[in-house]
Amino acid sequence: MQSAYISLGDLKANRNALAEPAASESAGGCSSSGGSGKSSCGSSGGPDDMPTEIWDKVKNHPCYSEEAHHHFARMHVAVAPACNIQCNYCNRKYDCSNESRPGVVSQKLTPDQAVKKVLAVASEIPQMTVLGIAGPGDALANPKKTFDTMRQLTEKAPDIKLCLSTNGLALPEMVDEICKHNIDHVTITINMVDPEIGAKIYPWIFWNHQRVTGVEAARILHEQQMKGLEMLTARGVLTKINSVLIPGINDEHLIEVNREVKKRGAFLHNIMPLISEAEHGTHFGLTGQRGPTAQELKAVQDACMGGANLMRHCRQCRADAVGLLGEDRSEEFTLDKIEEMDIVYDIDKRRAYQEKVEAERQAQHQAKVDALADALDASLIAGQEDLKVLVAVATEGQGRVNQHFGHATEFQIFEVSRKEALFVGHRRVDLYCQGGYGEDEQLPSIVNAINDCHAVLVSKIGACPRDELKAAGIEPVEEYAHEFIEKAALNWFADYCTRVASGAIVHQERGDARIRQGAVMAA
Ligand code: CLF
Ligand code: SF4
C-alpha cells in the first residue's frame, strides 16, 4: 500500500498561515495579481470580478478560464526541441501517438511549417483561440524559432492569442522580446522556492556555457524564475505558474511556492500530479518515485485556496496538442494532411462562430446561477448546509452532460455543495465501449478512477456498468442528459439532499481514487 506523505493536519496549519499574509505581500503590483483568493481560476460569466482588460485576455483562453475550457480550444506547435535544464520527471526521447503528457510530440516543426499548421487548424476549428509554444523542450531555450513563429502569426492570424511556457531560466533576458510580440500569457514551471528541494528535482542546468549541478543549479534557476515573474508582472503580462506535485519532495512546500508567486503577481497557480511511469524512462520513473493519489493532489490544492487563484482543469498536454483540453486532434493535422488542405483563414467567419460559442458559455453560466438557488434550498431543508460531495461527469464539450458512459476517456470531477459546483479535476480512464460491446475488464479501473465520487452523470449507460457502479456505491445518473454540467450537478445535489432528509438514503463518505498516469487518447 502506498504511504500518504501529506499530513492533512500539516496542510491545515500551513493554510492558516497562508490566510494571514505578511504586510509585504501587498507588493507585486499588477492588477492581474491572483490575490482574490478564489478557489479556481478567473472563470465568471462576465468581468464582474476583474478589470475589463484582464477579462478580455482570459475569457476565451481555455487554460486561464475554467468556463472557457468547455468551449474554446488551444493548439501547440512543436518548434522548440532544445532545453537548457534537466528535470527528473522529463524524457523527451519517448514518443507514442496514444500518449498525452508534456514533452511528447510526433513531429517537430520549423516556424514556417508551424505557421501553416496554425492557419490550417484555425480554418477548420474556429473556436481555436490560443496558440501556445510548450516545447517539446523549452520555448525560451529556442528563442529564434519561438519568436519567428510568433512574429509571423501576429501578422497572419491577428485574432489568435499567443501563449508560451518556460522553465524560467532564460526568462529575464527575454521579457522585452515577449512583450514586443504581444505574447500576453506566459506559464513558468516553478516546483520550488528552496534550492535544497530544487536539487532533488533538477540534476543540472546549462548556464553561462557550462553545466551547473546541485543546490547551486537550483539556486540560479530559482532566482531567474522569481526575477522573470516580477518583470512580467510589471509589464502586465498574465502569468500562470505550473507546479508538479512530487510526493515526499515538494508536496507541502507547494504552499510556500503558492505564497511566493502570489506575492510576485502570478495570475494563476496550476498544481499538477507527477507522471512517473517507469516505461517513460524518466529518472523519477526509473527510481520508483510515485505520483500523488487524487486525494493527495486535492488536499494540496485545497490547502492553497486563499493564495494565488488555482487552475484545476489542466490536462498536461502534449507539445503538439490540438483541440479542446482533454481531446487531441493533432492526428488530423499532420504535415502531409495539411499539404492537401484548402486553407481559408477567414477572420470574420471565425469571429462570428466565436460569438455563438460565447453566447452558449453565457447560457451555461446563467444556468449555473439559477441552479444554485435550488441547491441552497434543498441543502437547508435537509439540514446539510456543510455537505460537499464529488460527482463525475461524462462530457464531450459545450459544457453539457452529453457523453455515454462507455465513450468516456475521462470524467470531469466537480465538488458540489450548496454554494457551488466547483471543477476540481479530471480522471482519465480506459474506454469501456469497444465498438458495440462493453469491456467488463475495464470496469474496476474506471471505478477506481472515480471511487471518491458519489455519482456519475452521463447521457446514457448500459445495464452492466450501471449495476457495477451501484455495487461500488456510485450512483449512475442519466436524468440530466444534455443539460449544462453545473446545473445538472447542482440539481442532482439538491435531489440527493432531499433523499437524505427523507431517510430514503444515508449519506456516507467515499474513499480515495487513483490518478491515471499519462493518457490513452485514441478510441
Ligand atoms: Fe498551451 Fe500552456 Fe498556453 Fe495553455 S496548455 S502553453 S497555458 S495554451 Fe493548459 Fe495544457 Fe495544462 Fe498547459 S491544459 S498543459 S496549462
Ligand atoms: Fe523537460 Fe521542460 Fe524540464 Fe526541459 S524544462 S527538462 S523540456 S520538463
Side-chain angles (χ1 to χ4, degrees), residues 80-92 102-103 134-139 165-168 189 191 202 204 244:
C83 192
N84 46 8
I85 71 173
Q86 179 62 55
C87 305
N88 279 333
Y89 49 76
C90 179
N91 175 13
R92 298 188 304 285
D138 185 78
S165 77
T166 176
N167 59 46
T189 301
N191 298 316
Y202 306 104
W204 55 261
V244 180

Side-chain angles (χ1 to χ4, degrees), residues 61 63-64 74 76 130-134 163-165 187 240 242 270 311 313-317 325:
H61 192 309
C63 304
Y64 280 68
R74 56 74 185 100
H76 291 160
V130 178
L131 177 276
I133 296 182
C163 192
L164 63 78
S165 77
T187 294
K240 174 166 70 59
N242 281 358
N270 170 25
M311 172 190 188
H313 58 282
C314 176
R315 298 304 198 282
Q316 295 174 280
C317 314
L325 303 191

